[in-house]
Amino acid sequence: MIHRLSSIIFTFLMMIPAHAGRINIIPQPLKVVEYEGEFRINANTRIVVPNDNDVKRVAGYLVKALRQTAGYTLSIVGDPPVSNYIHFKKVNNLGKEAYRLKVSSKSIVIESSQANGAFYGLQSLYQLLPPDIFGLKISKVVFSVPCCQIDDKPRFIWRGQHLDVCSHFFSPQDIKRYIDLIALHKGNIFHWHLTEDQGWRLQIMKYPLLTEKGSIRKETVVGSYKSKIFDGIPYGGYYTQEEIRDIVKYASDRFVTIIPEIEMPGHALSAIACYPELSCQLENKYEVGTRWGIYRQVYCPKEETFSFLENVLLEVFKLFPSKIIHIGGDECPKSSWKKCPHCQALIKKLGLKNEDELQSYFIKRIEKFANEHGHEIIGWDEILQGGIAPNAKVMTWLEEQGGITAAKMHHEVVMTPYSKYYLDYYQADPETEQICMGDLTTLKTMYDYEPVPDSLSKEDQDYIIGVQGCVWTEYMKDMKRVEYMAYPRACAISESAWSSKENKDWKSFIHRLEYHFHRLDNLNVNYCHAFYNVQIEAYKDDAWDKVIVMNVDAPDSEIRYTLDGSTPTSSSTLYTSPFTINKSQVVKAIAFRKGHALGKIMQKSF
Ligand code: ACM
Ligand code: ZN
């Protein structure tokens, strides 16, 4: 929320009346006070940095961006001159990720106690500058910044974005770009889904087959997960450990922690295809998955399997400095365990009630191993089945109930309910989109979701440590498609992750987003505009008539429509309330703002 100080109290500050539109930051900072005037960066501006290598690196990003877009290389100095400087200043009284940004006509000061805060202050400074700062070429614009003071800190410590690189593989370059976009929106977690039935993507030195064989599927299903048609084209890809180390450093330099996910006990077919002895061995041939969904072949909880997973995890612990490791845990069918003599004998021996408790035993053993090596585990909701491991965190995707249960048991929870935060779901009318997963989750649905359930007590609410957007890539073959699906919806999630609950406002978000699009354009992000499109729904009334209900999420807009097949214009009929049509009519509708068409013409014939 932008608080404008009362000019009666603060006349000496030369307060200005509302200058709507000069400050358009996503995610919305905690407190913004805007003043008259601006700071202009020029070739003589100095960058002042403390004696801290991490803050120096942050300042270096600004120098590089200005070199690229303004064409000059600013000098870095240790002490502020009289004026015309940008000062990254260390203070003691701010939290790790907090910053205070003070812009006057003489200087810009970014205060923080740690480099994290300096980095987030810099992200806000970028967004106070003209969008050209995000470009790759020299621009003639004036690099000016409106005078203001921003006091900011995040709502949650977990501001995550996930990417499945198993359904489809993305190059190290793509991953770095994805991380850049996370950092731009003040995210701090990249959840990297590295192993799946359809491909193992992480080089493990002790088990070379995992990538030699397990990273390649012989073909891929064409169409939905129900389809029986395959393309006949081998598909694969993996990251070498050298690439992983490079990406981990790239992320860490941008204050993004990578949480690697190694799936168990389900979604393990690519590993089992390489090492069939890890399974219950009820079949004589296993191959890397070629269709989407769930496979019944899962890890068998025998000593060989635990040795394998522990050896894999030892390499994972070395590669990823993150304390928290994701062990999957979702969607593990129990049919193999039910038929397996070893599994059944183990259930008896351990005095377990059923296969759910066997899964719990599996996860608890892995947790114990991780804890002994200084790591913690997080898993999807299903790790609650049969009893949660004592120290595990839960990533809730099966709507909210798992998260509520876990928070009540005082386990930390990350919220990513699929109908709200899955970025592989449709964001517009499925009739107008390429194939996606699931139902419709519009930008507005995502924005409006409040991740801390009211049903939790105040104390238990503190166990909700954050939120995450998930990108499952069954239907996303390249980064362009990932960007289309993720943006701008990931911007909406970033605001739930960072901004205070009280500061969230859909209309303000959209106005800032429309400005933000200029930044994304400069970054060449392939974002989707669908929230401008009219949603047309028809409800059957009687044999001949349908009731038409239309809606548009874009604020300050109106819907104009036709029923005679002609293209709607700003003077076509204004939609005010539901109406009936007969069988032969076609509804064509588009939203307008101040006479300008927004979005696409949407059309429905019945
Ligand atoms: C999941 O979507 N299976 C976690
Ligand atoms: Zn078994």
Side-chain angles (χ1 to χ4, degrees):
M1 182 163 314
I2 296 185
H3 299 281
R4 291 193 178 81
L5 298 181
S6 150
S7 55
I8 299 165
I9 306 169
F10 294 98
T11 39
F12 64 96
L13 290 174
M14 299 248 311
M15 292 302 306
I16 45 161
H19 263 248
R22 288 207 314 167
I23 297 182
N24 297 289
I25 297 174
I26 289 181
Q28 177 66 51
L30 188 61
K31 192 167 167 224
V32 179
V33 183
E34 201 178 329
Y35 302 116
E36 193 172 317
E38 62 184 21
F39 178 88
R40 289 184 166 213
I41 301 177
N42 58 38
N44 297 320
T45 304
R46 295 283 176 267
I47 309 267
V48 188
V49 292
N51 192 13
D52 174 317
N53 284 339
D54 290 325
V55 179
K56 282 182 185 162
R57 190 180 69 252
V58 172
Y61 295 138
L62 175 61
V63 173
K64 183 172 174 222
L66 285 167
R67 189 188 305 133
Q68 216 160 257
T69 58
Y72 39 70
T73 302
L74 300 189
S75 305
I76 296 194
V77 297
D79 293 307
V82 178
S83 66
N84 196 13
Y85 60 89
I86 301 170
H87 188 179
F88 290 87
K89 187 174 176 184
K90 269 200 145 179
V91 296
N92 297 325
N93 58 353
L94 291 173
K96 181 179 169 188
E97 299 191 304
Y99 68 91
R100 185 176 300 118
L101 174 57
K102 297 192 277 198
V103 183
S104 74
S105 58
K106 288 201 168 125
S107 65
I108 295 175
V109 181
I110 299 174
E111 294 177 353
S112 69
S113 69
Q114 296 195 33
N116 305 59
F119 184 75
Y120 297 129
L122 175 61
Q123 300 317 306
S124 289
L125 176 57
Y126 284 149
Q127 295 197 24
L128 292 171
L129 280 159
D132 305 56
I133 191 72
F134 292 95
L136 287 173
K137 55 180 196 300
I138 304 288
S139 164
K140 290 270 171 275
V141 299
V142 177
F143 283 86
S144 65
V145 183
C147 291
C148 63
Q149 176 165 331
I150 296 177
D151 288 88
D152 201 10
K153 63 176 183 184
R155 178 177 181 194
F156 290 115
I157 57 167
W158 186 296
R159 305 182 299 280
Q161 183 83 7
H162 150 288
L163 185 67
D164 156 25
V165 296
C166 303
S167 302
H168 286 101
F169 178 74
F170 302 90
S171 70
Q173 229 22 61
D174 284 338
I175 299 298
K176 287 182 179 173
R177 179 173 166 83
Y178 197 73
I179 290 167
D180 283 341
L181 292 175
I182 293 173
L184 163 69
H185 295 90
K186 300 191 175 90
N188 66 342
I189 299 280
F190 170 42
H191 170 175
W192 203 355
H193 186 78
L194 285 162
T195 72
E196 254 303 343
D197 298 305
Q198 299 84 2
W200 183 285
R201 307 271 174 244
L202 171 65
Q203 183 181 34
I204 298 293
M205 296 306 183
K206 199 170 172 81
Y207 301 106
L209 272 188
L210 287 173
T211 43
E212 279 166 23
K213 182 173 176 200
S215 71
I216 302 162
R217 56 179 179 255
K218 70 170 195 230
E219 59 188 357
T220 304
V221 69
V222 180
S224 81
Y225 66 95
K226 292 180 202 146
S227 163
K228 298 218 162 39
I229 298 171
F230 292 81
D231 64 6
I233 304 166
Y235 184 92
Y238 69 89
Y239 307 97
T240 64
Q241 293 206 347
E242 198 181 333
E243 286 169 334
I244 295 280
R245 278 189 283 270
D246 177 53
I247 292 168
V248 165
K249 171 155 182 3
Y250 187 89
S252 156
D253 282 351
R254 287 151 185 81
F255 304 91
V256 172
T257 300
I258 298 185
I259 309 288
E261 181 179 356
I262 307 297
E263 275 270 21
M264 63 189 80
H267 290 297
L269 185 52
S270 60
I272 290 169
C274 305
Y275 303 101
E277 61 274 20
L278 302 174
S279 73
C280 294
Q281 285 182 291
L282 303 171
E283 292 159 47
N284 51 24
K285 187 166 184 282
Y286 297 92
E287 55 184 37
V288 179
T290 56
R291 57 165 180 83
W292 314 129
I294 300 173
Y295 287 80
R296 71 175 174 276
Q297 300 93 340
V298 302
Y299 289 125
C300 179
K302 51 192 167 188
E303 291 311 308
E304 270 174 285
T305 305
F306 287 112
S307 298
F308 166 82
L309 287 171
E310 287 171 9
N311 286 329
V312 167
L313 287 176
L314 285 176
E315 292 194 32
V316 168
F317 297 157
K318 275 217 184 93
L319 284 170
F320 296 93
S322 167
K323 192 169 173 68
I324 303 167
I325 303 292
H326 204 303
I327 52 79
D330 59 318
E331 300 180 321
C332 177
K334 310 295 186 301
S335 56
S336 292
W337 291 358
K338 284 195 168 121
K339 285 190 215 136
C340 168
H342 167 80
C343 288
Q344 291 308 310
L346 189 58
I347 286 177
K348 254 210 191 105
K349 182 176 152 202
L350 297 172
L352 305 176
K353 276 208 213 67
N354 53 29
E355 288 73 20
D356 280 354
E357 289 199 357
L358 187 57
Q359 174 172 297
S360 168
Y361 161 78
F362 196 119
I363 303 293
K364 282 176 183 158
R365 250 186 92 154
I366 293 294
E367 177 180 76
K368 187 163 176 289
F369 180 79
N371 289 171
E372 281 164 5
H373 289 81
H375 290 272
E376 293 170 5
I377 63 160
I378 187 166
W380 301 105
D381 285 272
E382 291 93 324
I383 66 167
L384 285 155
Q385 292 169 1
I388 187 170
N391 308 311
K393 299 177 202 308
V394 174
M395 186 169 274
T396 288
W397 72 284
L398 293 167
E399 301 303 19
E400 288 185 332
Q401 193 47 53
I404 291 171
T405 305
K408 284 184 175 165
M409 293 160 71
H410 293 183
H411 286 258
E412 290 184 331
V413 171
V414 175
M415 282 290 187
T416 178
Y418 68 84
S419 70
K420 301 297 193 295
Y421 279 176
Y422 268 27
L423 293 152
D424 53 339
Y425 274 41
Y426 284 97
Q427 57 197 316
D429 188 340
E431 282 182 25
T432 65
E433 293 289 297
Q434 285 178 34
I435 185 168
C436 296
M437 192 61 88
D439 295 322
L440 181 66
T441 306
T442 63
L443 177 67
K444 187 162 192 311
T445 306
M446 228 168 248
Y447 188 82
D448 286 345
Y449 175 61
E450 165 48 40
V452 178
D454 276 342
S455 60
L456 287 174
S457 70
K458 281 269 168 294
E459 190 204 354
D460 293 347
Q461 286 183 349
D462 288 343
Y463 288 89
I464 310 291
I465 58 167
V467 298
Q468 181 170 293
C470 290
V471 179
W472 299 98
T473 59
E474 287 94 331
Y475 305 126
M476 301 179 211
K477 289 196 175 132
D478 55 36
M479 209 17 96
K480 282 280 148 218
R481 185 71 189 158
V482 167
E483 287 174 6
Y484 178 85
M485 293 304 293
Y487 289 91
R489 290 187 295 179
C491 305
I493 299 178
S494 83
E495 200 139 310
S496 293
W498 179 279
S499 308
S500 75
K501 187 175 165 185
E502 296 70 32
N503 270 353
K504 279 188 60 186
D505 177 80
W506 168 249
K507 199 164 153 176
S508 151
F509 172 68
I510 290 301
H511 287 310
R512 284 177 287 117
L513 185 67
E514 286 172 346
Y515 193 85
H516 198 62
F517 285 156
H518 299 298
R519 301 176 189 128
L520 299 182
D521 286 336
N522 274 300
L523 290 163
N524 215 7
V525 176
N526 184 36
Y527 57 87
C528 170
H529 290 96
F531 72 97
Y532 284 128
N533 296 345
V534 176
Q535 296 150 32
I536 307 174
E537 289 190 74
Y539 297 91
K540 198 167 158 50
D541 185 17
D542 63 21
W544 302 105
D545 292 333
K546 288 239 160 78
V547 176
I548 299 297
V549 181
M550 292 196 271
N551 176 51
V552 63
D553 287 334
D556 303 326
S557 63
E558 58 187 28
I559 299 171
R560 300 277 174 172
Y561 69 95
T562 62
L563 297 176
D564 60 2
S566 64
T567 300
T569 66
S570 58
S571 50
S572 300
T573 311
L574 176 70
Y575 174 79
T576 51
S577 59
F579 57 87
T580 56
I581 60 164
N582 69 42
K583 241 182 157 175
S584 62
Q585 288 174 305
V586 178
V587 184
K588 285 191 180 182
I590 185 162
F592 284 88
R593 186 187 289 157
K594 294 188 182 140
H596 295 287
L598 305 169
K600 290 199 270 205
I601 297 172
M602 301 302 280
Q603 169 172 342
K604 288 252 160 141
S605 320
F606 303 98

